[in-house]
Amino acid sequence: MPSPTAAHRHSFSEQLRGMPASPRSSRQFSLSSVGVQDLMNNPPKAGGADPAFVGRDWHDIAVGELVDPAEVRFVELDTGVEDATNLLIDSASTVLLIRATRNETSAIGTFDYKDLNQYLLFATGCLRPDEEHLAFFQDLAKKAQQGQEIPVKDAKALGSKEPFVVLPHTANLTAAVEAFGGGVHRIVIAQEGTDEVTGILSQLRLVKFLWENGRSFPVIDQLYPQTIKDLGIGSQHVISVNGDKPLKEALALMDGEGVSSLAVVDNQQNVVGNISTADVKLLTKSSSAPLLDNTCIHFISVILSTRGMNDGKDSFPVFHVSPYSTLAHTVAKLVATKSHRMWVVDSPSPSSSGPPTPSIPSAVLHNPLHVASTPQATPSFISASASPSVSASSLPGASMSGRLSGVVSLTDVLNLFARASGLNPNDPAETRRHRRRSSSSSLVRGSLDSARSSSVDVSKILR
């Protein structure tokens, strides 16, 4: 039965018209370039330690002390994707827990922006099923075209599966640090001896806690003054996209690689911005459909404008550090920007001031080397068709970045903390490989021009 609101929605094809100009074009920036540089060079310092944890060994602090049951949001297996999306966005949460029925207090899965990104790719015809899943794909597309509600359980069946880890609320932080250091992104906390969920602990929350209370934990605090190069953390396996590439290619790349964000670069590999799966929230209205075919650079301007309007001031991309940044500087930026990773950059490469030149799009660096162990080498990339060049100066603050050479993630930081504490976390590289395999196991990612016959009206799916 068609959705009761379907008659009031415009078709997806009707929305494929020119987007209005970015509101940034007529706005004044509230921070000078000097102010932005100062923010980047001197990120916020750690706040005062929580008195509740002063003098306590962090090994004896329970995970249940870091979570709040009031922050837990549930959906059911049969909840519609549209309702789940609305709750995800309106609650300002990064994840919803999935339960079997409304009366349950236990969780059996999660629904987050990675899932929403994958569903958006399905809805716009950017995924192609393999033989094994063809029937399921066709049935789901038919339901969507008819305006039927698509339940979360079907959206989850499209592909990627995050590790689902549960710890009792009495478990100490060492268990969480070890799990996170092995590549797990979040942990469900349950009342000991039961399946009742009492909270969700994320990598970011734990890193923020350890940063703000660092002086109480000497084994971690002594790492902060050292540079990320000397510590040997981070990787040169970097996934990025050229700023002139269509946004839909960036979304497909994130989904196929099982990552939550990409660096956006110009033709000289200077970092000009960042796109994450959380930014998909800006694409959940059919009127946003033209953004998918517009450039990543344009989408970054939309992201920054939206943040500016929501926060009352302009926002600038500050998602990068250098190999010589201290761990304290890097963690402070991760916490301040609520990011999962910081791009490691060298000195800026000169921008092209001449006519457009061929680019190196959808850049994927294939040498997973530690930043500290080897000198920076010229990376090898997978190249697609040429596209117009992008200048690093095309975005505010971008000229203060540099050439992309690596990445440091929350997983890298927590893996370092785990090893420094004598723990034995799993190899995060293996977790990443598993995530990529699971991301592509259910559906085959075809070219972005394939499977158009199976595309559905996005306005009948998303609000």
Side-chain angles (χ1 to χ4, degrees):
M1 179 176 177
S3 167
T5 59
H8 301 287
R9 295 170 175 157
H10 297 290
S11 70
F12 182 51
S13 60
E14 288 176 344
Q15 302 299 333
L16 297 179
R17 299 168 182 164
M19 284 290 292
S22 167
R24 295 186 68 83
S25 60
S26 59
R27 299 175 66 221
Q28 298 296 315
F29 300 115
S30 56
L31 280 178
S32 66
S33 60
V34 174
V36 177
Q37 186 68 66
D38 182 64
L39 171 65
M40 295 166 65
N41 291 337
N42 303 285
K45 293 180 172 58
D50 187 331
F53 302 104
V54 173
R56 295 177 59 187
D57 186 329
W58 70 281
H59 294 73
D60 297 327
I61 296 174
V63 293
E65 296 180 68
L66 270 63
V67 299
D68 183 357
E71 296 177 357
V72 177
R73 297 290 184 273
F74 278 105
V75 291
E76 288 72 57
L77 282 170
D78 59 358
T79 299
V81 172
E82 183 173 345
D83 290 338
T85 298
N86 291 341
L87 179 59
L88 185 64
I89 295 173
D90 296 341
S91 66
S93 176
T94 59
V95 62
L96 305 177
L97 295 183
I98 302 173
R99 58 188 175 188
T101 65
R102 185 176 294 274
N103 296 326
E104 296 286 336
T105 59
S106 61
I108 57 177
T110 60
F111 181 83
D112 59 16
Y113 284 109
K114 277 189 179 181
D115 297 309
L116 181 57
N117 179 46
Q118 187 167 77
Y119 191 72
L120 179 67
L121 291 170
F122 158 74
T124 53
C126 296
L127 299 184
R128 181 164 54 89
D130 56 21
E131 294 268 341
E132 181 182 356
H133 301 91
L134 180 60
F136 169 77
F137 184 95
Q138 291 177 332
D139 180 61
L140 195 62
K142 183 178 179 180
K143 288 180 180 178
Q145 289 169 336
Q146 293 175 346
Q148 295 183 40
E149 185 175 73
I150 304 300
V152 166
K153 63 181 177 183
D154 286 348
K156 290 291 294 185
L158 285 172
S160 61
K161 304 293 186 296
E162 284 287 323
F164 188 71
V165 179
V166 181
L167 284 178
H169 79 286
T170 53
N172 59 45
L173 290 190
T174 57
V177 170
E178 195 165 43
F180 285 145
V184 173
H185 289 164
R186 64 176 66 93
I187 298 172
V188 174
I189 309 301
Q191 188 71 25
E192 184 178 26
T194 73
D195 293 327
E196 181 181 353
V197 174
T198 59
I200 305 172
L201 183 62
S202 67
Q203 284 185 324
L204 182 59
R205 174 166 291 190
L206 182 54
V207 167
K208 184 175 185 290
F209 170 79
L210 295 174
W211 168 241
E212 293 177 341
N213 297 276
R215 292 183 180 178
S216 299
F217 316 128
V219 69
I220 292 175
D221 194 48
Q222 55 91 22
L223 297 171
Y224 286 129
Q226 301 181 56
T227 68
I228 58 176
K229 179 179 176 64
D230 289 340
L231 289 169
I233 66 170
S235 172
Q236 286 184 314
H237 183 86
V238 188
I239 303 171
S240 63
V241 65
N242 185 275
D244 274 351
K245 285 296 173 183
L247 173 60
K248 60 188 178 185
E249 292 195 19
L251 302 184
L253 185 59
M254 283 192 289
D255 181 58
E257 292 292 331
V259 296
S260 59
S261 64
L262 295 174
V264 180
V265 299
D266 67 7
N267 291 346
Q268 289 75 39
Q269 298 304 309
N270 294 315
V271 176
V272 296
N274 183 90
I275 293 176
S276 74
T277 51
D279 297 322
V280 173
K281 69 179 70 173
L282 302 178
L283 303 171
T284 57
K285 295 181 183 297
S286 57
S287 58
S288 301
L291 288 173
L292 293 170
D293 291 306
N294 214 317
T295 66
C296 292
I297 284 285
H298 178 76
F299 188 54
I300 289 174
S301 73
V302 173
I303 294 170
L304 298 182
S305 291
T306 302
R307 289 179 189 164
M309 288 184 286
N310 290 341
D311 299 340
K313 59 184 179 180
D314 289 276
S315 180
F316 291 85
V318 289
F319 296 93
H320 62 270
V321 294
S322 85
Y324 302 99
S325 297
T326 63
L327 180 64
H329 180 95
T330 304
V331 170
K333 275 194 171 183
L334 287 165
V335 171
T337 59
K338 300 180 181 179
S339 304
H340 286 180
R341 54 186 54 82
M342 282 287 143
W343 311 113
V344 180
V345 300
D346 295 326
S347 299
S349 300
S351 322
S352 171
S353 58
T357 56
S359 66
I360 306 176
S362 298
V364 181
L365 185 56
H366 288 288
N367 301 317
L369 305 175
H370 286 300
V371 173
S373 59
T374 61
Q376 300 298 336
T378 301
S380 57
F381 296 97
I382 294 177
S383 298
S385 58
S387 62
S389 65
V390 178
S391 170
S393 62
S394 62
L395 284 179
S399 60
M400 289 175 283
S401 66
R403 193 175 191 276
L404 182 63
S405 62
V407 61
V408 175
S409 67
L410 292 172
T411 295
D412 296 321
V413 172
L414 288 164
N415 183 272
L416 172 67
F417 290 168
R419 289 184 287 107
S421 304
L423 304 175
N424 296 295
N426 292 332
D427 180 5
E430 177 54 36
T431 303
R432 293 187 191 104
R433 286 191 290 270
H434 174 76
R435 191 173 283 117
R436 285 196 294 271
R437 286 195 299 268
S438 69
S439 183
S440 58
S441 62
S442 294
L443 295 173
V444 175
R445 271 73 190 159
S447 70
L448 291 170
D449 293 326
S450 66
R452 289 301 175 193
S453 61
S454 298
S455 64
V456 299
D457 185 343
V458 72
S459 67
K460 292 181 180 178
I461 302 169
L462 301 176
R463 58 180 185 170

